[in-house]
Structure formats: structure tokens, C-alpha cells
Amino acid sequence: MEPLPWPEGEFGGRDARAERVARAALSRLVEPGDAAFGRAVRNHGADRLLRDLRGHGTLPVELARRDPAGYRVRLGPHDPEADLELIAELGGAFVVPGDPDWPTQLDDLGDAGPLGLWVRGAVSLRPAALRSVAVVGSRACTDYGTYVAGTLAADLAELGWTVVSGGAYGVDGAAHRGALAVAGRTVAVLACGIDVNYPRGHERLLARIAELGTVVTELPPGAHPTRYRFVERNRVIAALTRGTVVVEAALRSGALISARRAALLGRQVMGVPGPIGSASSAGVHALLREPGSVLVTRAAEVVEQVGLIGDDLAPMLSGPTRPGDDLAPQTRRILDVVPTRGALSTALIAREAGVAPAATRRRLDVLAARELVDRTSKGWRRRGGA
Amino acid sequence: MEPLPWPEGEFGGRDARAERVARAALSRLVEPGDAAFGRAVRNHGADRLLRDLRGHGTLPVELARRDPAGYRVRLGPHDPEADLELIAELGGAFVVPGDPDWPTQLDDLGDAGPLGLWVRGAVSLRPAALRSVAVVGSRACTDYGTYVAGTLAADLAELGWTVVSGGAYGVDGAAHRGALAVAGRTVAVLACGIDVNYPRGHERLLARIAELGTVVTELPPGAHPTRYRFVERNRVIAALTRGTVVVEAALRSGALISARRAALLGRQVMGVPGPIGSASSAGVHALLREPGSVLVTRAAEVVEQVGLIGDDLAPMLSGPTRPGDDLAPQTRRILDVVPTRGALSTALIAREAGVAPAATRRRLDVLAARELVDRTSKGWRRRGGA
């Protein structure tokens, strides 16, 4: 896509540029989710904080317990301008709070939110994230998990929802692929630098997402993933989306951490059930036993949870409608008695349904008129399969 | 078992006997769940009502709209004394409100409750029903449903709970068998006369339940099942038990009616999830999306819902504990990084966990002391499988 414009942003005047560069630089120092650091940036500005570090000044009170030397080491020789040129060359941008493309829902993370986001892709992040759902789950998922994630993501994408996931093996990959397969919108939130090829086996998938969707990370170019970064990455997925669907997760799966993070942020937590014998579903089932989480089996049910009233149609809970759904209870009871194979006499149907024969006959005529039953030589038969 | 004694009951004096005989006779006239009839019996007594019918007297106001002639026809030649002798010969009894073996939780059904219960079996109904759970589901269930129902029922029975079901094919049969297999208590509530062989294929199973458990019905000897009677039978199952577990049910399954009946009676509604692709689980999933219903995957979770606090132990929601569950977060994070195959150096573990090397080393020694990790020539390795 065209490199995103660099507007003045919320800092006003040419400071915006300086703040952006400083945030790019500081993103090398901090681990994701460092609220104290975020508070310092909010209170004093990134540019000021960076200059103090470089100029061997004292750290602000918010970082009193931190080691400035350590920070300076990590800052090292890195040139934020070079990083910004790199992301521009990749056709992306480093988006910071105040930019038009900044997804403001991330502000729900407060000072623990990202200093900025390294973004690549064909789709602008903010609009993509507005109607988005996270589809997450185990790396080591079963064929069932792969199938469910792919189908759910495809259907969500076709309903106009952006599928957000972590770009990992298993459920994440299946979800991204499902959305791509229907030319839908998908966002991969990485736990490493935007230029880092991880996981190896997803090099082409991530390239494709960057081409047709959006790849985003708070970590600077070259940064490698760590377990801690994976965990903190999940807070971004949770905050970015209206809700999180866990497709398959063992009892200790990181996907459950994502889900609980989402709940803490007031996002809807959903889970897709599976066979109770499957360890890959045990974590989801445990999640679904927690208050506030909702069992979902298809995209329409997900949209019902995260959609906007009026905007998104609520689906029926009882599955597709069938002819006869609108029948009076007694007529319904009679219809239920009429067999789909063979046939039954009015008298037998009346007995089965516990309705008087005369009334039964009248109702049967109604049902025949509505082409729900046929009268055969042997008696009444129901049309089509039950 | 020994025929149950016929005590004086709530009607006092020899009336108790007359009331019992009259209720046995009237049970031929009414369809289950006829609240108006129940009200008439409550207000005027069964004996009085029967005498009025036989003597061509006028029906009480509660039954003003009913046809006395029709009632007399149904009453016909039947001799309630003969029915009572039959049930006694079967080693059972006709239990009515006020009898010591009457399950008082049925009173929650009000005037729609049974006039009496025809009971056979080795176990008295009232104590059996006190700690009971209904395990119900589709007749046409899958192997998964059969397996789940059987296992769940066996485990519930071993935990001292009575498994109540409808004696039907599919889930019902599997539940009864599961309880019998561990010599547990099970109750079959029929929708036909206690002497009627239905369903045909369950003749031996029902005989075995009558031998080792309890078979019960509100319908008089010889009465045949009808769809309506199946539906009303479910109200007895719901009222008799502390909660209902639906194992497998299609979207229109009668098991869902049982479950919703149970909910209306303030009983706990539970469902066992399955693969979302399975039509036999679609009804359960719809049920689990309704407020108040709880997803369960094992007997302990069922008991947690229906058990008495203190009396029944609440199970862990997060599965079996694992060594290290009690670790401090940072130590836990370090343990998570240590691989179960191969090994990692302290430095790498420190980086992965985002903890200072010195602190990491200290924590690793703690973990080694607790035999959670081993130090190998190549570095640290986690004990056992993850």
C-alpha cells in the first residue's frame, strides 16, 4: 500500500515527528506491556525521555527503580530513522497514538499499551480493527480445530468481519487462511519484528497477509519472539478486537490467557466446543464453564455476540427455520406424529397426538393445504425428511 | 423387594385405603399432567370424585367442561383392586402422596403432578430420588453419545448419585446401563404401564432395572405410550431430580423439552458438548447458549452443580493440579521456558523468560531442588512431559 501519511498527530507541530522517532527508538528498550515506562512517556514525552537517556540525564520518577545503563546498552547503536526507513521501504508505517490509522481501542490498555505499531499491509489497520474478532487457539491443534478455525474465519470474513490472530501454527494459521480464502480481511499481530521470519513455516502465509491484509507488531524490526512477548502480544489482540473466539485449547494453552485478557478488557469471550475426550478442547470447555463466556458454533453466533444491534442481524438460536415452525402447538403436535415413511390413519394420529379425532382431521387438512403432509391411500405421510 | 406397607397416609383413617384405590382407578381416566383434574382431586378427594362418576353424579366445577360420559367409558370395566394386586404381585406398590416412599419433590408439579406412582424395584424411590440426576438425550444417538452417557452415568453412580432416565433407546439406555455396570442406583421413568414391554428391545434392560434399581410410572398397568405421554413423562423426570444433563440432542429433540421443563422447575440444566459438525450435539449446544444452563464434561462437574455444599466436593475447573502450580509468577515463567526435550542454557532461559540472568539462575536452583528441572551437561531440562 502507499506509505501512510505522517500527520501532525496529537503532539502538535514538528514535535509529532520527533515523538514518533523517539517512540520508534524507545520501542527497542522496553518489553511490551511495561506500564511504568508507558506512564513516563505519557508524562514527559518520548523525545524528552530519549534525550535524557542519551544525555546520561536522570530517569524520571516513574522509572526510578530502573537501570539507565541497561537502557543505554539496549539503545546501543540502533538508529530509529533507519527503522522508519525500513518499514517505509516495506510499504508500511510506524503508527503512533494520534495518527489517523491508530486503532483507538488500544487506548483501553492504558499505559501498558504499545508505544507504537509497526504496520504493513494492503488494509489500513484502524478501519480493519473496527469490526474485528480474534480467532485464536492451540498451535498443536487437531484436524477438527483446523477445520473449525478455517470455516469460522471464512464465514466471519464473508460477513464483513476482520479476522485477527497471531500468525502462529495451528488455529492461528487456519484462521488467517480461512479469511484469505474468501478474500476477506485478516490481521496478524506478531510477537517479533515485522521483518523477522517467524514462525519459519509461515513465511509465505505472512507475506500473503501483508499483501492482502495487515501485519502488525509493537516490536521493532529485528526483534525476536520470546514467551513473554507472546503473552504480551495477546493483550494487543484482545484490545484490538470486539471479542475473542477460542477454537481449540488445552487446559494450559496460551489462548486461554488471551481470552481472559479479553474478558478483563470487557471484550466478549467465546469458545467453540469439541468432543469431551479431546485434550485440545478441554481448555475451551473449562473457559465455557466460566461466567461471561459464551458457547458459539458458527459465525452468525459470534456476530450476535460482538455485533452492533441493528447493524448485525441476530441469528436464530434454534437453527434454520423449518416449515411448520409457525404452527399452533396442537397442530405442531399432530405434524410431529405424521410419519415421513409409511403412513398413519387419522385415528392413530389422533391417539398419538392426544387430540380428538375430529379436531385431528381438521388440523391434518390444514397441514395438507400447507403441503406439509400428503394424504395417501394408506393414510397421512409427512412431506420431505423430518 | 417387599411390597411397600400401606400406611394411613395423609388422608387419615381408612380413607387412606379408599383414596389409594380411587387414585389407582382415576389414573385410567386422566392423561398425565391434567392440572384441572388434579385440582378436583385435591379439592374433593379421589374417592368422592370416583363415586360421583360411577354414580352418574355431576362433575365438580373444576371439571365442568369435561365429558362425564367419556370418563365413564374410559373407566369401563377396570377394577383398581386388580391393578393393585398386579403391582403387588410384581413386588411393587402404587405409591400416593403421603406415603413414606412418596418423593415429595414431585409436589413441585402442583396439581399437574401424578395422582400416584406405580413403582417396582429393589430400591425405595424416595431415598433414591433424593440424590438423583437425570441423564437424557436422543434415542438416535451416536457412538459418542452412547459412550458419554455410559461413562457419565457410571461415574455419577459411583459418586453415590442415582441416575434417572426414560428407559428409551440411545442415551437413556446407555445411562441406565452405565449405572448398572457399577452396581449403582438407577431409576427408569416410563411413559406406559409398568407391565408394558416398551421399548421392545429393552425388555431385559428394564427387567434388570426393576431387579437392581427402580422402575416407575404414573400410567396404570396396560397403558400404552403416546407422544403426549412421553412429553408429560419428562416432567416427572425433571421434578424427581436435582438436575438434568442432556448428553446428545438434535435441535428438535424431546430431551430439550425435558431440560427446559427442569429449568422451569428450578432444577439445574446441564449439557455435554460435542463436535459442532454433529447434528446430535446441535440441540445441546443451543441449550448451552441459553442462560442458566451449564456446560459439563464429567461427573464431578455435574455434582458441583447439583450437589449440596460441603456434602459434595467441588472439583477443580482447571483440571488436575500439576507440580509447580504453586510457584511464584516469575519462577513459573522460567519453568515454562525450560524445554522437556533437549536443554537450554541459563542465559537463553533468562532471555526467553525476560528475567535477569542472576535471578533466573536462583529460580532454576529452586526448581531443581523441587525436582521440576534437571541440570544436564547441555543445560536445563524439564522433568517429565510438559
Side-chain angles (χ1 to χ4, degrees):
Chain A
M1 65 178 183
E2 285 303 296
L4 292 166
W6 278 345
E8 297 315 295
E10 71 188 0
F11 313 101
R14 53 176 292 286
D15 274 2
R17 174 90 175 95
E19 280 297 317
R20 180 185 314 279
V21 176
R23 282 175 177 254
L26 295 178
S27 71
R28 292 215 170 270
L29 267 58
V30 285
E31 281 301 315
D34 186 334
F37 204 100
R39 207 170 307 115
V41 169
R42 174 165 55 83
N43 294 339
H44 311 286
D47 187 37
R48 163 78 194 285
L49 197 56
L50 181 62
R51 276 190 276 107
D52 284 353
L53 273 167
R54 286 198 170 126
H56 294 72
T58 56
L59 290 179
V61 57
E62 299 86 351
L63 303 174
R65 285 215 218 75
R66 310 296 179 92
D67 165 26
Y71 280 140
R72 276 188 285 273
V73 169
R74 292 187 78 167
L75 205 55
H78 291 290
D79 174 10
E81 296 285 0
D83 291 333
L84 293 170
E85 279 159 27
L86 173 84
I87 190 72
E89 276 162 18
L90 292 170
F94 179 65
V95 180
V96 297
D99 287 343
D101 201 31
W102 179 256
T104 47
Q105 53 269 53
L106 288 186
D107 302 344
D108 292 356
L109 293 168
D111 290 328
L115 292 176
L117 291 172
W118 306 83
V119 183
R120 282 182 70 187
V123 181
S124 298
L125 181 59
R126 184 176 186 158
L130 275 178
R131 275 168 63 88
S132 67
V133 182
V135 177
V136 298
S138 300
R139 285 177 180 71
C141 66
T142 67
D143 294 352
Y144 174 73
T146 311
Y147 169 79
V148 169
T151 312
L152 190 64
D155 294 348
L156 283 168
E158 284 196 318
L159 289 169
W161 285 77
T162 302
V163 174
V164 178
S165 197
Y169 292 134
V171 168
D172 288 15
H176 290 304
R177 288 193 181 92
L180 290 172
V182 296
R185 291 192 301 191
T186 189
V187 174
V189 183
L190 307 182
C192 60
I194 200 133
D195 58 338
V196 173
N197 172 21
Y198 184 93
R200 280 264 155 71
H202 276 181
E203 178 167 18
R204 299 188 56 189
L205 173 61
L206 290 170
R208 188 132 178 79
I209 295 171
E211 201 181 302
L212 301 169
T214 313
V215 178
V216 56
T217 179
E218 69 189 294
L219 289 149
H224 286 282
T226 66
R227 179 169 298 265
Y228 179 77
R229 288 169 178 175
F230 283 123
V231 171
E232 291 304 311
R233 180 274 311 277
N234 294 341
R235 89 194 190 290
V236 176
I237 292 179
L240 208 54
T241 52
R242 290 237 200 111
T244 294
V245 184
V246 182
V247 168
E248 262 192 340
L251 280 171
R252 301 308 181 106
S253 165
L256 298 180
I257 301 172
S258 305
R260 301 202 168 98
R261 267 248 158 97
L264 289 173
L265 288 163
R267 312 300 200 251
Q268 181 63 60
V269 175
M270 294 156 281
V272 180
I276 60 171
S278 165
S280 305
S281 287
V284 183
H285 293 153
L287 186 71
L288 287 172
R289 288 172 45 72
E290 295 175 13
S293 60
V294 174
L295 182 149
V296 291
T297 65
R298 52 206 178 96
E301 292 171 351
V302 173
V303 172
E304 184 191 47
Q305 293 301 320
V306 297
L308 302 166
I309 294 115
D311 178 356
D312 302 291
L313 211 78
M316 291 147 303
L317 287 172
S318 56
T321 47
R322 295 185 338 184
D325 274 357
D326 57 337
L327 294 172
Q330 201 180 48
T331 316
R332 171 87 237 165
R333 220 157 74 210
I334 289 164
L335 179 62
D336 288 338
V337 179
V338 182
T340 51
R341 295 208 193 96
L344 270 185
S345 70
T346 307
L348 278 171
I349 291 169
R351 205 196 80 186
E352 279 279 310
V355 178
T360 301
R361 179 52 202 270
R362 281 196 301 278
R363 308 277 189 168
L364 282 167
D365 291 335
V366 172
L367 292 169
R370 291 191 47 178
E371 300 185 321
L372 292 169
V373 302
D374 293 315
R375 189 174 193 191
T376 73
S377 56
K378 295 190 194 54
W380 301 90
R381 177 187 296 128
R382 189 160 177 173
R383 283 236 183 139
Chain B
M1 66 179 182
E2 285 302 298
L4 292 166
W6 282 344
E8 298 314 296
E10 72 189 358
F11 313 103
R14 52 175 293 284
D15 273 0
R17 174 90 176 94
E19 280 297 315
R20 181 186 313 279
V21 175
R23 282 175 177 255
L26 294 178
S27 71
R28 290 212 172 273
L29 268 59
V30 285
E31 282 300 316
D34 187 334
F37 205 100
R39 206 172 307 114
V41 169
R42 175 166 53 86
N43 293 338
H44 312 286
D47 187 39
R48 162 77 193 285
L49 196 57
L50 182 62
R51 277 190 275 105
D52 284 355
L53 274 167
R54 287 201 169 124
H56 294 71
T58 57
L59 289 179
V61 57
E62 298 86 351
L63 302 173
R65 287 216 217 75
R66 308 297 178 91
D67 167 24
Y71 279 140
R72 276 188 286 272
V73 169
R74 294 186 76 170
L75 206 53
H78 290 292
D79 174 10
E81 296 285 0
D83 291 334
L84 293 170
E85 278 159 27
L86 173 83
I87 190 71
E89 275 162 18
L90 291 171
F94 179 64
V95 180
V96 297
D99 287 343
D101 202 30
W102 179 257
T104 47
Q105 53 268 56
L106 289 184
D107 302 343
D108 293 357
L109 293 168
D111 290 329
L115 292 177
L117 291 172
W118 306 83
V119 184
R120 280 182 71 187
V123 181
S124 299
L125 181 58
R126 184 176 187 156
L130 275 178
R131 276 167 62 88
S132 68
V133 181
V135 177
V136 299
S138 300
R139 283 178 182 70
C141 66
T142 68
D143 293 351
Y144 174 73
T146 311
Y147 168 78
V148 169
T151 312
L152 190 63
D155 295 347
L156 283 168
E158 285 198 316
L159 289 169
W161 286 76
T162 301
V163 175
V164 178
S165 198
Y169 292 134
V171 168
D172 288 17
H176 290 304
R177 287 193 182 92
L180 290 173
V182 296
R185 291 192 300 192
T186 189
V187 174
V189 183
L190 307 182
C192 59
I194 200 132
D195 57 338
V196 173
N197 173 18
Y198 184 92
R200 281 266 155 70
H202 275 181
E203 178 167 18
R204 297 189 56 189
L205 173 62
L206 290 169
R208 188 133 178 78
I209 296 171
E211 201 181 303
L212 301 170
T214 314
V215 178
V216 55
T217 178
E218 68 189 295
L219 289 148
H224 286 281
T226 66
R227 180 170 296 267
Y228 179 77
R229 289 170 177 174
F230 283 124
V231 171
E232 290 306 309
R233 180 271 315 271
N234 294 342
R235 87 193 191 292
V236 176
I237 292 179
L240 208 53
T241 52
R242 290 239 200 112
T244 294
V245 184
V246 182
V247 168
E248 263 193 340
L251 281 170
R252 301 307 181 106
S253 166
L256 298 180
I257 301 173
S258 305
R260 300 199 170 99
R261 269 250 157 96
L264 289 173
L265 287 165
R267 311 298 199 254
Q268 180 63 59
V269 175
M270 295 156 280
V272 180
I276 61 172
S278 165
S280 305
S281 286
V284 182
H285 293 152
L287 185 71
L288 288 172
R289 288 172 45 71
E290 296 174 11
S293 60
V294 174
L295 182 149
V296 291
T297 64
R298 53 206 177 95
E301 291 170 352
V302 173
V303 172
E304 184 190 47
Q305 293 301 320
V306 297
L308 303 167
I309 294 116
D311 179 357
D312 302 292
L313 212 79
M316 290 149 301
L317 287 171
S318 55
T321 45
R322 294 187 336 186
D325 274 357
D326 55 337
L327 294 173
Q330 201 181 47
T331 316
R332 171 88 237 165
R333 220 157 75 210
I334 289 166
L335 179 62
D336 289 339
V337 179
V338 182
T340 50
R341 295 209 192 95
L344 271 185
S345 70
T346 307
L348 279 171
I349 293 169
R351 206 195 78 187
E352 280 277 312
V355 177
T360 303
R361 178 54 201 268
R362 279 195 303 276
R363 309 275 189 171
L364 283 166
D365 291 335
V366 172
L367 292 170
R370 291 192 47 178
E371 299 185 324
L372 293 169
V373 302
D374 292 315
R375 188 172 193 189
T376 73
S377 54
K378 295 191 193 57
W380 300 91
R381 176 186 297 129
R382 189 161 176 171
R383 282 231 185 147

